[in-house]
């Protein structure tokens, strides 16, 4: 095959449970992920040397995407070649529909898509499980990009298990032209919890039940993010769109991961358009639905 295109989804955290910092600086996580319909498409073309180009679609600004060896997609392609022991390269093109540095794991989606694309391009026939092991070396959100759907994540988030999900949910995803540093959000979490015992993180049983039942109201009541107070201390202004979304009748509003992206659960596309209109002054509001599959060949 001379060229393969693979699509991989953005992730949101339906619940992000964060435990107390360990001596090595690691925070144990218990998170529920959902893959949503914002996606990245990676095209891998057979080539004698590695190269990378990048475009954005649906209003995604790709100015902040590194095109050098630090790019997660290039790292994924090289890691796969090394692991498989093949002396191969590829020309990669990223077409990003996932806003950059928004806590939506866009770089991880690119990496997951590249693993699947090069596995196909080079006819390596590696299993999803093997690709997931390589994915975990690249970053804690990369394995989920392979699996998609709704899933639990433990450890640093890389221990992914599917969750039964009978529902289809509509979201308004509000992104901003500023970022929140993930390490800064965790440092603020540590400040907020200094001197107190932080319980082991867990995914609330009510959330697991809501997904199994496909209950949008149950999900609205069970969404949560232990990092949100820390992120709101770094960016108190995020409280304004969260309140505006609730006042515009969103079923629930929360910060996604370490932010700044905010998520609003809505009933359907029409309700989503109404909530998105109320949020338009704050940032870029997009409609998305989930769960959607993980990285798949187009
Ligand atoms: P994080 O995993 O840090 O929470 P994020 O989901 O907020 O990431 P990404 O879109 O993955 O956001 O970008 C985070 C940073 O990763 C970017 O600022 C960029 O420097 C770097 N990066 C590396 N590879 C990529 C890639 N393929 N696409 C976008 N950013 C990348």
């Amino acid at each position: 095959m001379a060229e393969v295109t693979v699509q991989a989804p953005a992730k949101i955290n339906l619940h992000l449970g964060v435990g107390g910092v360990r001596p090595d600086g690691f925070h144990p996580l218990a998170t529920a992920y959902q893959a949503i319909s914002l996606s990245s498409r990676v095209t891998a073309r057979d080539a004698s040397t590695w190269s990378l180009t990048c475009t954005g679609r649906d209003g995604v600004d790709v100015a902040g995407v590194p095109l050098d060896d630090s790019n997660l997609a290039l790292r994924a392609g090289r890691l796969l070649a090394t692991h498989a022991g093949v002396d191969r390269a590829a020309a990669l093109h990223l077409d990003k529909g996932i806003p950059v540095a928004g806590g939506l794991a866009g770089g991880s989606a690119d990496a997951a898509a590249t693993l699947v694309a090069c596995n196909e391009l080079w006819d390596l026939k590696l299993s999803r499980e093997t690709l997931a092991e390589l994915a975990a070396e690249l970053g804690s959100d990369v394995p989920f990009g392979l699996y998609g759907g709704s899933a639990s994540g433990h450890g640093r988030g890389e221990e992914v298990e599917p969750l039964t999900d009978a529902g289809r949910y509509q979201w308004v995803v509000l992104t901003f032209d500023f970022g929140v540093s993930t390490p800064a959000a965790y440092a603020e979490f540590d400040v907020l919890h200094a001197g107190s015992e932080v319980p082991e993180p867990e995914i609330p049983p009510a959330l697991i039940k809501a997904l199994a039942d496909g209950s949008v109201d149950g999900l609205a009541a069970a969404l949560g993010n232990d990092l949100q107070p820390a992120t709101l201390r770094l960016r108190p202004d995020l409280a304004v769109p969260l309140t505006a979304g609730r006042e515009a009748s969103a079923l629930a509003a929360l910060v996604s991961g370490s932010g700044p992206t905010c998520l609003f659960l809505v009933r359907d596309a029409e309700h989503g358009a109404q909530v998105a209109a109320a949020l338009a002054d704050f940032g870029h509001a997009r409609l998305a639905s989930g769960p959607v599959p993980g990285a798949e060949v187009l």
Side-chain angles (χ1 to χ4, degrees):
M1 212 173 288
E3 184 177 294
V4 179
T5 299
V6 172
Q7 173 165 292
K11 68 93 201 177
I12 58 174
N13 297 88
L14 304 175
H15 180 86
L16 179 59
V18 182
V21 64
R22 301 268 165 91
D24 63 357
F26 152 66
H27 293 80
L29 303 181
T31 189
Y33 294 116
Q34 186 164 94
I36 59 168
S37 58
L38 307 179
S39 67
S40 204
R41 290 184 203 130
V42 174
T43 300
R45 224 170 357 94
D46 218 5
S48 52
T49 55
W50 287 100
S51 63
L52 180 67
T53 52
C54 183
T55 50
R57 61 175 203 283
D58 302 334
V60 169
D61 176 6
V62 294
V65 176
L67 295 176
D68 61 10
D69 286 350
S70 70
N71 192 289
L72 220 45
L74 272 180
R75 288 179 47 209
R78 287 204 160 102
L79 180 67
L80 183 67
T82 305
H83 173 87
V86 295
D87 185 19
R88 303 286 293 265
L92 301 177
H93 179 73
L94 316 180
D95 183 29
K96 293 175 75 79
I98 305 176
V100 177
L104 295 165
S108 302
D110 295 337
T114 303
L115 289 174
V116 172
C118 291
N119 187 38
E120 194 78 15
L121 185 70
W122 302 331
D123 201 22
L124 301 175
K125 299 194 165 57
L126 297 178
S127 66
R128 280 278 153 147
E129 288 69 31
T130 302
L131 294 181
E133 283 167 24
L134 296 175
E137 287 182 37
L138 292 161
S140 26
D141 286 335
V142 186
F144 177 68
L146 290 173
Y147 291 116
S150 296
S152 63
H154 287 91
R156 288 177 163 83
E158 81 288 9
E159 296 163 19
V160 177
E161 297 282 344
L163 287 171
T164 303
D165 193 343
R168 179 87 182 171
Y169 313 95
Q170 302 289 326
W171 300 93
V172 176
V173 180
L174 183 66
T175 57
F176 302 93
D177 58 9
F178 58 86
V180 167
S181 145
T182 302
Y186 279 98
E188 200 61 32
F189 177 90
D190 294 341
V191 170
L192 281 173
H193 293 86
S196 61
E197 188 73 21
V198 182
E200 275 301 302
E202 65 156 3
I203 302 171
L207 188 140
I208 292 172
K209 180 170 180 342
L211 295 180
D213 293 346
S215 163
V216 64
D217 293 305
L219 180 62
L223 293 168
N225 180 358
D226 289 351
L227 266 189
Q228 181 163 318
T231 298
L232 286 179
R233 271 171 57 118
L234 294 172
R235 292 298 309 210
D237 48 336
L238 286 177
V240 182
L242 289 172
T243 302
R246 288 187 197 105
E247 284 175 357
S249 80
L251 304 177
L254 79 167
V255 171
S256 181
S258 57
T261 298
C262 293
L263 304 172
F264 303 86
L265 183 60
V266 294
R267 279 202 193 282
D268 50 35
E270 195 182 330
H271 186 205
Q274 180 195 322
V275 171
L279 295 169
D281 287 346
F282 299 104
H284 195 141
R286 294 174 172 84
L287 297 181
S289 62
V292 300
E296 55 183 0
V297 177
L298 291 182

